[in-house]
Amino acid sequence: MKPQKLSWVTTPLLILFIFQLLGLLVLPFLAPLMNTILGAAATDPTSGITDDQLGLLKIFTGATLWVSFIIAAAWAAFTFLTYRAAGQGRGWARVAAIVIAILSLLNFPIGTILGVLILIGAFDPEVQRFISR
């Protein structure tokens, strides 16, 4: 039988996963925005940016967006797998949920609230017994 406070772990994990998916959906729209900003900077005579510098800026911006996308997708997958494993009572899910919660504490204000809820649920004795079975 699942403990009552298990939902204090699984529900915030699911909410964090949904927020991460929304962030992944927004990420592709940043490339055209950055190109617009860089284009405006290139046409401004007071900026002092040369064509070579602009090309390097576009390359590094594109690479940074791709790396950010890969890391965010991996983190979203990790959060979803932790959500499912916690619901199934797998032992590693409690430790993973605690790691996600601690890192979520830095994401003020919503991530902080969700991280605190996960920590409260993860340290509940009934949840600990359920997950360590």
Short mmCIF file of all heavy atoms in Angstrom, two decimals, residues 18-77:
data_model
loop_
_atom_site.label_atom_id
_atom_site.label_comp_id
_atom_site.label_asym_id
_atom_site.label_seq_id
_atom_site.Cartn_x
_atom_site.Cartn_y
_atom_site.Cartn_z
N ILE A 18 6.78 18.97 -16.02
CA ILE A 18 5.97 19.77 -16.94
C ILE A 18 6.62 21.12 -17.19
O ILE A 18 6.67 21.60 -18.33
CB ILE A 18 4.53 19.91 -16.40
CG1 ILE A 18 3.83 18.55 -16.47
CG2 ILE A 18 3.75 20.96 -17.18
CD1 ILE A 18 2.51 18.49 -15.75
N PHE A 19 7.14 21.76 -16.14
CA PHE A 19 7.84 23.03 -16.32
C PHE A 19 9.08 22.87 -17.21
O PHE A 19 9.39 23.74 -18.02
CB PHE A 19 8.25 23.63 -14.98
CG PHE A 19 7.12 24.32 -14.25
CD1 PHE A 19 7.12 24.38 -12.88
CD2 PHE A 19 6.09 24.91 -14.94
CE1 PHE A 19 6.09 25.03 -12.21
CE2 PHE A 19 5.06 25.55 -14.28
CZ PHE A 19 5.06 25.62 -12.90
N GLN A 20 9.78 21.75 -17.06
CA GLN A 20 10.95 21.51 -17.88
C GLN A 20 10.57 21.31 -19.35
O GLN A 20 11.27 21.77 -20.25
CB GLN A 20 11.74 20.32 -17.35
CG GLN A 20 12.42 20.64 -16.04
CD GLN A 20 12.85 19.40 -15.29
OE1 GLN A 20 12.61 18.28 -15.71
NE2 GLN A 20 13.47 19.61 -14.14
N LEU A 21 9.45 20.64 -19.58
CA LEU A 21 8.98 20.50 -20.96
C LEU A 21 8.60 21.84 -21.56
O LEU A 21 8.90 22.11 -22.73
CB LEU A 21 7.78 19.54 -21.01
CG LEU A 21 8.07 18.07 -20.82
CD1 LEU A 21 6.78 17.26 -20.95
CD2 LEU A 21 9.10 17.57 -21.80
N LEU A 22 7.97 22.70 -20.77
CA LEU A 22 7.64 24.04 -21.26
C LEU A 22 8.91 24.83 -21.58
O LEU A 22 8.96 25.55 -22.58
CB LEU A 22 6.79 24.79 -20.23
CG LEU A 22 5.37 24.26 -20.04
CD1 LEU A 22 4.68 25.00 -18.89
CD2 LEU A 22 4.57 24.38 -21.31
N GLY A 23 9.93 24.68 -20.76
CA GLY A 23 11.20 25.33 -21.03
C GLY A 23 11.84 24.82 -22.31
O GLY A 23 12.44 25.58 -23.07
N LEU A 24 11.71 23.52 -22.55
CA LEU A 24 12.26 22.95 -23.78
C LEU A 24 11.50 23.45 -25.01
O LEU A 24 12.09 23.61 -26.08
CB LEU A 24 12.20 21.42 -23.73
CG LEU A 24 13.26 20.74 -22.89
CD1 LEU A 24 12.97 19.25 -22.78
CD2 LEU A 24 14.63 20.96 -23.47
N LEU A 25 10.21 23.69 -24.85
CA LEU A 25 9.43 24.21 -25.98
C LEU A 25 9.79 25.65 -26.31
O LEU A 25 9.69 26.08 -27.46
CB LEU A 25 7.93 24.10 -25.68
CG LEU A 25 7.35 22.69 -25.66
CD1 LEU A 25 5.89 22.72 -25.23
CD2 LEU A 25 7.48 22.04 -27.02
N VAL A 26 10.20 26.42 -25.32
CA VAL A 26 10.55 27.83 -25.53
C VAL A 26 11.96 27.97 -26.12
O VAL A 26 12.24 28.90 -26.87
CB VAL A 26 10.43 28.60 -24.21
CG1 VAL A 26 11.02 29.99 -24.30
CG2 VAL A 26 8.98 28.66 -23.77
N LEU A 27 12.83 27.05 -25.80
CA LEU A 27 14.23 27.15 -26.19
C LEU A 27 14.47 27.35 -27.69
O LEU A 27 15.30 28.19 -28.06
CB LEU A 27 15.00 25.93 -25.67
CG LEU A 27 16.50 26.04 -25.58
CD1 LEU A 27 16.90 27.19 -24.67
CD2 LEU A 27 17.09 24.74 -25.05
N PRO A 28 13.76 26.67 -28.59
CA PRO A 28 14.02 26.90 -30.02
C PRO A 28 13.69 28.32 -30.49
O PRO A 28 14.22 28.77 -31.50
CB PRO A 28 13.11 25.88 -30.72
CG PRO A 28 12.87 24.83 -29.72
CD PRO A 28 12.87 25.51 -28.40
N PHE A 29 12.83 29.03 -29.77
CA PHE A 29 12.48 30.38 -30.17
C PHE A 29 13.54 31.40 -29.76
O PHE A 29 13.46 32.56 -30.15
CB PHE A 29 11.12 30.78 -29.59
CG PHE A 29 9.99 29.93 -30.11
CD1 PHE A 29 9.41 28.96 -29.32
CD2 PHE A 29 9.55 30.08 -31.41
CE1 PHE A 29 8.38 28.17 -29.79
CE2 PHE A 29 8.53 29.29 -31.91
CZ PHE A 29 7.94 28.33 -31.11
N LEU A 30 14.50 30.96 -28.98
CA LEU A 30 15.57 31.88 -28.57
C LEU A 30 16.57 32.14 -29.70
O LEU A 30 17.19 33.20 -29.74
CB LEU A 30 16.29 31.34 -27.35
CG LEU A 30 15.49 31.34 -26.04
CD1 LEU A 30 16.32 30.74 -24.92
CD2 LEU A 30 15.06 32.73 -25.68
N ALA A 31 16.74 31.19 -30.59
CA ALA A 31 17.71 31.37 -31.69
C ALA A 31 17.32 32.54 -32.60
O ALA A 31 18.17 33.40 -32.87
CB ALA A 31 17.85 30.07 -32.48
N PRO A 32 16.07 32.62 -33.08
CA PRO A 32 15.73 33.80 -33.90
C PRO A 32 15.82 35.11 -33.11
O PRO A 32 16.22 36.13 -33.66
CB PRO A 32 14.28 33.53 -34.33
CG PRO A 32 14.08 32.09 -34.16
CD PRO A 32 15.00 31.65 -33.08
N LEU A 33 15.49 35.06 -31.84
CA LEU A 33 15.61 36.27 -31.03
C LEU A 33 17.06 36.72 -30.92
O LEU A 33 17.36 37.91 -31.06
CB LEU A 33 15.02 36.01 -29.63
CG LEU A 33 15.16 37.15 -28.63
CD1 LEU A 33 14.31 38.34 -29.05
CD2 LEU A 33 14.78 36.67 -27.24
N MET A 34 17.95 35.77 -30.67
CA MET A 34 19.37 36.12 -30.57
C MET A 34 19.91 36.63 -31.91
O MET A 34 20.73 37.54 -31.95
CB MET A 34 20.18 34.91 -30.10
CG MET A 34 19.91 34.51 -28.66
SD MET A 34 20.16 35.83 -27.48
CE MET A 34 21.89 36.14 -27.66
N ASN A 35 19.46 36.03 -33.03
CA ASN A 35 19.89 36.51 -34.34
C ASN A 35 19.41 37.94 -34.58
O ASN A 35 20.12 38.75 -35.18
CB ASN A 35 19.40 35.58 -35.44
CG ASN A 35 20.23 34.33 -35.54
OD1 ASN A 35 21.40 34.33 -35.15
ND2 ASN A 35 19.64 33.27 -36.04
N THR A 36 18.21 38.24 -34.12
CA THR A 36 17.70 39.60 -34.26
C THR A 36 18.52 40.59 -33.44
O THR A 36 18.87 41.68 -33.92
CB THR A 36 16.22 39.65 -33.82
OG1 THR A 36 15.47 38.73 -34.59
CG2 THR A 36 15.65 41.05 -34.00
N ILE A 37 18.84 40.21 -32.23
CA ILE A 37 19.64 41.08 -31.37
C ILE A 37 21.04 41.27 -31.95
O ILE A 37 21.56 42.39 -32.00
CB ILE A 37 19.71 40.50 -29.94
CG1 ILE A 37 18.34 40.57 -29.29
CG2 ILE A 37 20.75 41.23 -29.10
CD1 ILE A 37 18.23 39.82 -27.98
N LEU A 38 21.65 40.18 -32.41
CA LEU A 38 22.98 40.29 -32.99
C LEU A 38 22.96 41.09 -34.29
O LEU A 38 23.89 41.84 -34.59
CB LEU A 38 23.59 38.91 -33.22
CG LEU A 38 23.94 38.13 -31.95
CD1 LEU A 38 24.40 36.72 -32.31
CD2 LEU A 38 24.99 38.85 -31.15
N GLY A 39 21.89 40.95 -35.07
CA GLY A 39 21.76 41.73 -36.30
C GLY A 39 21.63 43.22 -36.02
O GLY A 39 22.20 44.05 -36.72
N ALA A 40 20.87 43.53 -34.96
CA ALA A 40 20.73 44.93 -34.58
C ALA A 40 22.07 45.48 -34.08
O ALA A 40 22.41 46.64 -34.36
CB ALA A 40 19.66 45.08 -33.51
N ALA A 41 22.81 44.67 -33.36
CA ALA A 41 24.12 45.12 -32.87
C ALA A 41 25.10 45.31 -34.02
O ALA A 41 25.95 46.20 -33.98
CB ALA A 41 24.68 44.13 -31.86
N ALA A 42 24.98 44.48 -35.05
CA ALA A 42 25.90 44.58 -36.19
C ALA A 42 25.63 45.83 -37.02
O ALA A 42 26.56 46.41 -37.59
CB ALA A 42 25.79 43.34 -37.06
N THR A 43 24.38 46.25 -37.09
CA THR A 43 24.06 47.44 -37.89
C THR A 43 24.26 48.74 -37.12
O THR A 43 24.27 49.81 -37.72
CB THR A 43 22.60 47.38 -38.38
OG1 THR A 43 21.73 47.28 -37.25
CG2 THR A 43 22.39 46.18 -39.30
N ASP A 44 24.44 48.65 -35.82
CA ASP A 44 24.67 49.85 -35.01
C ASP A 44 26.13 50.27 -35.15
O ASP A 44 27.04 49.52 -34.81
CB ASP A 44 24.35 49.54 -33.55
CG ASP A 44 24.47 50.76 -32.65
OD1 ASP A 44 24.52 51.88 -33.18
OD2 ASP A 44 24.51 50.58 -31.42
N PRO A 45 26.38 51.47 -35.66
CA PRO A 45 27.78 51.89 -35.88
C PRO A 45 28.56 52.11 -34.59
O PRO A 45 29.78 52.05 -34.60
CB PRO A 45 27.65 53.20 -36.68
CG PRO A 45 26.27 53.68 -36.42
CD PRO A 45 25.43 52.48 -36.11
N THR A 46 27.87 52.31 -33.49
CA THR A 46 28.58 52.56 -32.23
C THR A 46 28.99 51.27 -31.52
O THR A 46 29.72 51.31 -30.54
CB THR A 46 27.72 53.40 -31.27
OG1 THR A 46 26.51 52.67 -30.97
CG2 THR A 46 27.38 54.74 -31.88
N SER A 47 28.50 50.11 -32.00
CA SER A 47 28.81 48.85 -31.31
C SER A 47 30.24 48.40 -31.56
O SER A 47 30.85 47.76 -30.70
CB SER A 47 27.84 47.75 -31.72
OG SER A 47 28.06 47.38 -33.07
N GLY A 48 30.78 48.68 -32.72
CA GLY A 48 32.15 48.29 -33.02
C GLY A 48 32.33 46.80 -33.30
O GLY A 48 33.44 46.29 -33.22
N ILE A 49 31.26 46.10 -33.64
CA ILE A 49 31.34 44.67 -33.92
C ILE A 49 31.65 44.47 -35.40
O ILE A 49 30.97 45.01 -36.27
CB ILE A 49 30.02 43.96 -33.55
CG1 ILE A 49 29.77 44.04 -32.05
CG2 ILE A 49 30.05 42.50 -34.00
CD1 ILE A 49 28.48 43.42 -31.61
N THR A 50 32.68 43.67 -35.67
CA THR A 50 33.03 43.36 -37.06
C THR A 50 32.25 42.14 -37.52
O THR A 50 31.62 41.44 -36.74
CB THR A 50 34.54 43.09 -37.18
OG1 THR A 50 34.85 41.91 -36.44
CG2 THR A 50 35.35 44.27 -36.66
N ASP A 51 32.30 41.87 -38.82
CA ASP A 51 31.59 40.71 -39.37
C ASP A 51 32.17 39.40 -38.84
O ASP A 51 31.44 38.44 -38.61
CB ASP A 51 31.66 40.73 -40.90
CG ASP A 51 30.77 41.81 -41.50
OD1 ASP A 51 29.83 42.25 -40.81
OD2 ASP A 51 31.03 42.21 -42.66
N ASP A 52 33.48 39.35 -38.64
CA ASP A 52 34.11 38.15 -38.09
C ASP A 52 33.62 37.90 -36.65
O ASP A 52 33.31 36.76 -36.28
CB ASP A 52 35.63 38.28 -38.10
CG ASP A 52 36.20 38.28 -39.50
OD1 ASP A 52 35.52 37.76 -40.42
OD2 ASP A 52 37.32 38.80 -39.68
N GLN A 53 33.56 38.95 -35.87
CA GLN A 53 33.08 38.81 -34.49
C GLN A 53 31.62 38.39 -34.47
O GLN A 53 31.22 37.58 -33.64
CB GLN A 53 33.27 40.13 -33.73
CG GLN A 53 34.71 40.48 -33.47
CD GLN A 53 34.85 41.89 -32.91
OE1 GLN A 53 33.99 42.74 -33.08
NE2 GLN A 53 35.98 42.13 -32.24
N LEU A 54 30.83 38.95 -35.36
CA LEU A 54 29.42 38.59 -35.44
C LEU A 54 29.25 37.12 -35.79
O LEU A 54 28.41 36.42 -35.23
CB LEU A 54 28.70 39.47 -36.45
CG LEU A 54 27.20 39.25 -36.58
CD1 LEU A 54 26.50 39.62 -35.28
CD2 LEU A 54 26.65 40.05 -37.74
N GLY A 55 30.06 36.63 -36.73
CA GLY A 55 30.01 35.21 -37.09
C GLY A 55 30.35 34.32 -35.92
O GLY A 55 29.69 33.30 -35.68
N LEU A 56 31.39 34.68 -35.17
CA LEU A 56 31.76 33.90 -33.99
C LEU A 56 30.66 33.95 -32.92
O LEU A 56 30.36 32.93 -32.28
CB LEU A 56 33.07 34.41 -33.40
CG LEU A 56 34.34 34.00 -34.13
CD1 LEU A 56 35.56 34.69 -33.51
CD2 LEU A 56 34.51 32.50 -34.09
N LEU A 57 30.06 35.11 -32.74
CA LEU A 57 28.97 35.23 -31.77
C LEU A 57 27.80 34.32 -32.14
O LEU A 57 27.21 33.68 -31.27
CB LEU A 57 28.50 36.68 -31.67
CG LEU A 57 29.30 37.61 -30.79
CD1 LEU A 57 28.82 39.04 -30.93
CD2 LEU A 57 29.19 37.17 -29.35
N LYS A 58 27.47 34.27 -33.42
CA LYS A 58 26.36 33.42 -33.86
C LYS A 58 26.69 31.94 -33.67
O LYS A 58 25.84 31.15 -33.26
CB LYS A 58 26.01 33.70 -35.32
CG LYS A 58 25.27 35.01 -35.49
CD LYS A 58 24.84 35.22 -36.93
CE LYS A 58 24.05 36.51 -37.04
NZ LYS A 58 23.55 36.73 -38.40
N ILE A 59 27.93 31.55 -33.96
CA ILE A 59 28.33 30.16 -33.76
C ILE A 59 28.26 29.78 -32.29
O ILE A 59 27.70 28.74 -31.92
CB ILE A 59 29.74 29.92 -34.34
CG1 ILE A 59 29.71 29.98 -35.85
CG2 ILE A 59 30.30 28.58 -33.86
CD1 ILE A 59 31.08 29.97 -36.49
N PHE A 60 28.83 30.61 -31.43
CA PHE A 60 28.83 30.29 -30.00
C PHE A 60 27.43 30.33 -29.41
O PHE A 60 27.09 29.53 -28.54
CB PHE A 60 29.76 31.23 -29.23
CG PHE A 60 31.21 30.92 -29.43
CD1 PHE A 60 32.08 31.90 -29.86
CD2 PHE A 60 31.71 29.65 -29.19
CE1 PHE A 60 33.42 31.62 -30.05
CE2 PHE A 60 33.04 29.35 -29.38
CZ PHE A 60 33.90 30.34 -29.81
N THR A 61 26.60 31.24 -29.89
CA THR A 61 25.22 31.31 -29.41
C THR A 61 24.46 30.05 -29.81
O THR A 61 23.75 29.45 -29.00
CB THR A 61 24.52 32.56 -29.96
OG1 THR A 61 25.24 33.71 -29.57
CG2 THR A 61 23.10 32.66 -29.46
N GLY A 62 24.62 29.63 -31.05
CA GLY A 62 23.95 28.41 -31.51
C GLY A 62 24.43 27.18 -30.76
O GLY A 62 23.63 26.33 -30.36
N ALA A 63 25.73 27.10 -30.55
CA ALA A 63 26.27 25.95 -29.81
C ALA A 63 25.78 25.94 -28.37
O ALA A 63 25.43 24.88 -27.83
CB ALA A 63 27.80 25.98 -29.85
N THR A 64 25.72 27.12 -27.77
CA THR A 64 25.23 27.20 -26.39
C THR A 64 23.77 26.78 -26.30
O THR A 64 23.38 26.08 -25.36
CB THR A 64 25.41 28.64 -25.86
OG1 THR A 64 26.78 28.99 -25.93
CG2 THR A 64 24.92 28.77 -24.44
N LEU A 65 22.97 27.18 -27.25
CA LEU A 65 21.55 26.79 -27.24
C LEU A 65 21.40 25.27 -27.41
O LEU A 65 20.55 24.66 -26.77
CB LEU A 65 20.78 27.54 -28.32
CG LEU A 65 20.54 29.03 -28.03
CD1 LEU A 65 19.87 29.69 -29.23
CD2 LEU A 65 19.70 29.21 -26.79
N TRP A 66 22.20 24.67 -28.29
CA TRP A 66 22.11 23.22 -28.48
C TRP A 66 22.55 22.46 -27.22
O TRP A 66 21.92 21.48 -26.82
CB TRP A 66 22.94 22.78 -29.68
CG TRP A 66 22.19 22.90 -30.95
CD1 TRP A 66 22.38 23.83 -31.93
CD2 TRP A 66 21.08 22.10 -31.38
NE1 TRP A 66 21.47 23.64 -32.93
CE2 TRP A 66 20.66 22.59 -32.63
CE3 TRP A 66 20.41 21.02 -30.83
CZ2 TRP A 66 19.60 22.03 -33.33
CZ3 TRP A 66 19.34 20.46 -31.53
CH2 TRP A 66 18.96 20.96 -32.77
N VAL A 67 23.63 22.91 -26.61
CA VAL A 67 24.09 22.25 -25.38
C VAL A 67 23.05 22.41 -24.28
O VAL A 67 22.76 21.47 -23.54
CB VAL A 67 25.47 22.81 -24.95
CG1 VAL A 67 25.85 22.36 -23.56
CG2 VAL A 67 26.53 22.39 -25.96
N SER A 68 22.47 23.60 -24.19
CA SER A 68 21.41 23.83 -23.19
C SER A 68 20.22 22.91 -23.45
O SER A 68 19.63 22.38 -22.51
CB SER A 68 20.96 25.28 -23.23
OG SER A 68 22.00 26.15 -22.91
N PHE A 69 19.87 22.74 -24.71
CA PHE A 69 18.74 21.86 -25.05
C PHE A 69 19.02 20.41 -24.65
O PHE A 69 18.17 19.75 -24.07
CB PHE A 69 18.44 21.94 -26.55
CG PHE A 69 17.30 21.06 -26.98
CD1 PHE A 69 16.00 21.47 -26.78
CD2 PHE A 69 17.55 19.83 -27.56
CE1 PHE A 69 14.94 20.66 -27.15
CE2 PHE A 69 16.50 19.01 -27.94
CZ PHE A 69 15.18 19.43 -27.74
N ILE A 70 20.23 19.94 -24.93
CA ILE A 70 20.58 18.55 -24.61
C ILE A 70 20.58 18.33 -23.09
O ILE A 70 20.03 17.34 -22.59
CB ILE A 70 21.94 18.18 -25.24
CG1 ILE A 70 21.80 18.13 -26.76
CG2 ILE A 70 22.47 16.87 -24.70
CD1 ILE A 70 23.11 18.05 -27.50
N ILE A 71 21.16 19.27 -22.36
CA ILE A 71 21.20 19.14 -20.89
C ILE A 71 19.79 19.21 -20.31
O ILE A 71 19.43 18.42 -19.42
CB ILE A 71 22.12 20.21 -20.28
CG1 ILE A 71 23.57 19.91 -20.65
CG2 ILE A 71 21.96 20.29 -18.77
CD1 ILE A 71 24.55 21.01 -20.28
N ALA A 72 18.97 20.13 -20.81
CA ALA A 72 17.61 20.27 -20.31
C ALA A 72 16.77 19.03 -20.63
O ALA A 72 15.96 18.59 -19.81
CB ALA A 72 16.96 21.53 -20.87
N ALA A 73 16.95 18.46 -21.81
CA ALA A 73 16.21 17.26 -22.17
C ALA A 73 16.63 16.08 -21.30
O ALA A 73 15.79 15.29 -20.86
CB ALA A 73 16.43 16.94 -23.65
N ALA A 74 17.92 15.96 -21.03
CA ALA A 74 18.39 14.87 -20.16
C ALA A 74 17.86 15.05 -18.74
O ALA A 74 17.45 14.08 -18.10
CB ALA A 74 19.92 14.83 -20.16
N TRP A 75 17.85 16.29 -18.25
CA TRP A 75 17.35 16.54 -16.89
C TRP A 75 15.85 16.27 -16.82
O TRP A 75 15.36 15.72 -15.82
CB TRP A 75 17.67 17.98 -16.47
CG TRP A 75 17.34 18.23 -15.04
CD1 TRP A 75 16.30 18.96 -14.57
CD2 TRP A 75 18.03 17.75 -13.89
NE1 TRP A 75 16.31 18.97 -13.20
CE2 TRP A 75 17.37 18.23 -12.76
CE3 TRP A 75 19.16 16.95 -13.73
CZ2 TRP A 75 17.79 17.95 -11.46
CZ3 TRP A 75 19.58 16.66 -12.44
CH2 TRP A 75 18.90 17.16 -11.34
N ALA A 76 15.10 16.61 -17.87
CA ALA A 76 13.67 16.32 -17.89
C ALA A 76 13.42 14.81 -17.89
O ALA A 76 12.54 14.32 -17.19
CB ALA A 76 13.02 16.98 -19.11
N ALA A 77 14.21 14.08 -18.66
CA ALA A 77 14.07 12.62 -18.68
C ALA A 77 14.41 12.02 -17.32
O ALA A 77 13.71 11.12 -16.84
CB ALA A 77 14.97 12.02 -19.76
#
